[in-house]
Amino acid sequence: MNETLQGWLGNQIETLKEQNLYKPLVVMDSPSEARITVNGKANVINLASNNYLGLANHLKLKAAAIAAVEKYGAGAGAVRPIIGNMSLHIELERRLAEFKHVEATLVFQSGFTANAGVIPTITDAEDAIITDELNHASIIDGVRLSKAARKIYKHNDLNALEDALKQTQGAKKRLVITDGVFSMDGDIAPLQGIVALAEQYDSAVMVDDAHGSGVLGGGRGTAYHFGVHQKIDIQLGTLSKAVGVMGGYIAGSAKLVDWLTQRARPFLFSTAPPPATTAAIIAAIELMDTDPSFTERLWENTRYWKAELGKLGFDTGISETPITPVMVGDEGNALALQRALFEEGVLALAIVFPTVQRGKARIRTMPSAMHSRQDLDDALTAFERAGKRLGII
Ligand SMILES: *Cc1c(COP(=O)(O)O)cnc(C)c1O
């Protein structure tokens, strides 16, 4: 082994530990449910997963996955442009397009690779990308892969967006990119305003709706929630969060999907999603399409959770979605609250600098459709006890 590399790795890890930025992985030894076994502790209330609708361990998804393994095997065997393209993938993309009310969709191995696939494939050196400062890491990486000029605008600020559009008038094409729902504060992008500005300045719009998919617009996402899904050029969705499995997709025009099928690099050079995954996602879309009770329960729990935390005296910030930050401020206090909550039987993770600004540390909680009222009440008791013990409320 190379000494120089190993020495460098050791130093990097030490530095992280000194700065309190080193995070050991938490180990779960149960399905992703309302109550989980974590780091050997059973019956811990799970407020940390993105399994918003409780689909990750749903019987219908599991049955579909098992049936697909029996019929099609464990793997797809190749990238889709060679011979990994199965009828299951085509069926999933057709159903997703119907569900999203768009012309076409293209499925990727993850939301992350969908961003890496689409952004550099539809922009060139003479173009400009205009991107919200709080956009997700996978958008940032997708933008880095593009040769286009880039402008970062102040979070959710339509005046700043307009300035950026004015400053990029020389570009051949322009693309505004925003998260639909922002993952740290749970706030929603002002899509109607963004679409209006983009129309005025002749720019395309892309929405990364990882946290909006399955959550807003009856599960159809942020664009559908605002009624602008026909005006958004590119919607990115994940199949890994509310949909409960793994994967990502692009939804838009038939031309967009046609072009990506020919040129998007993760689509061309990374193996097709396996049959079990693909069939489980089809089952999830079917459930979301026919049974509104999943999103209804999610929102009922979300309203209850936010209201009760507020009554206890916690500050839940500017969230408009199930992502509910419990604002703490000080980094040390946030980490102490995380530990105290775990002792009380609740898993909810602290989010600290550099993921959020210094002094804006918080515990991020995500109620879901799978939590019972009892789960939430028990979690509230834990929050009250831990919050009082630490002097946060
Ligand atoms: C989680 C997330 C992704 C990545 O999705 P995966 O399917 O988990 O790769 C992309 N964009 C945003 C905004 C996300 O929150």
Side-chain angles (χ1 to χ4, degrees), residues 36-37 59 69 90 100 110 113 121-122 126 129 173 193 202 226 248 284-285 300 302 356:
I36 55 179
T37 301
L59 275 179
V69 168
I90 303 298
K100 296 283 289 183
S110 70
T113 55
T121 309
I122 59 168
E126 60 271 26
I129 297 172
K173 322 195 275 309
D202 187 28
F226 284 119
I285 303 295
E300 210 178 286
T302 296
V356 294

Side-chain angles (χ1 to χ4, degrees), residues 110-112 115 136 138 179 208 210-211 238 240-241 247:
S110 70
F112 200 107
N115 265 319
H136 189 257
S138 57
D179 277 18
D208 176 342
H211 285 282
T238 180
S240 326
K241 290 179 175 138

Side-chain angles (χ1 to χ4, degrees), residues 57 80 86 139 157 195 221 268 281 303 344 366 381 386:
N57 192 39
R80 288 182 63 190
M86 293 176 143
I139 298 179
D157 183 331
V195 165
L268 298 180
I281 298 166
R303 282 188 290 271
E344 300 279 349
M366 280 163 296
T381 305

Side-chain angles (χ1 to χ4, degrees), residues 41-44 335-348 382 385-386 389-390:
K41 182 167 175 161
N43 203 30
V44 175
L335 292 166
L337 181 56
Q338 173 187 316
R339 279 193 299 273
L341 286 167
F342 191 67
E343 282 163 22
E344 300 279 349
V346 170
L347 183 77
R385 294 228 292 248
R389 175 140 60 93
L390 296 170

